[in-house]
Amino acid sequence: MAQKQGLNRGILAQGWGSLRQRTEHKAPGRVEDVPAPYTSLRCSARGWIDKNSRKSQAEFACSSCGFTCNADTNAATNVAAGQGGIPRPRRSAGAGGPTPPTRRSSVREPKPVWAGIPLF
């Protein structure tokens, strides 16, 4: 228990809130908060959530569609897609449903605008 408390104090001492504020200042409107729950249990291929899909600390194998990959890679893919938080309701009793595509733009960087100034 003491080790966990020490870890928590160390994390809080690093000032992650300040990092988020500075990042938002540098990239306004492009910083997103993705809730962490269920990112490691959600299949990044189909969107199914099942606690039995997590075979071990390092292995993810979807119990529904059979998709397999490293568990950290699967969770990172879900975070990058903004897929976290509350599990989505199932479409019918006893069957899961795919995660609908997000409406976010895949464009991350703003496009440069030509100001009409000739460059020599």
Side-chain angles (χ1 to χ4, degrees), residues 21-60:
Q21 286 177 342
R22 282 182 266 152
T23 307
E24 177 67 34
H25 178 71
K26 298 233 179 228
R30 297 191 338 221
V31 177
E32 294 182 35
D33 293 327
V34 177
Y38 301 104
T39 54
S40 64
L41 301 177
R42 182 186 299 272
C43 174
S44 59
R46 300 278 184 206
W48 301 80
I49 296 176
D50 185 10
K51 65 180 180 179
N52 296 325
S53 295
R54 195 69 189 268
K55 301 297 182 190
S56 68
Q57 181 68 25
E59 183 183 356
F60 178 86

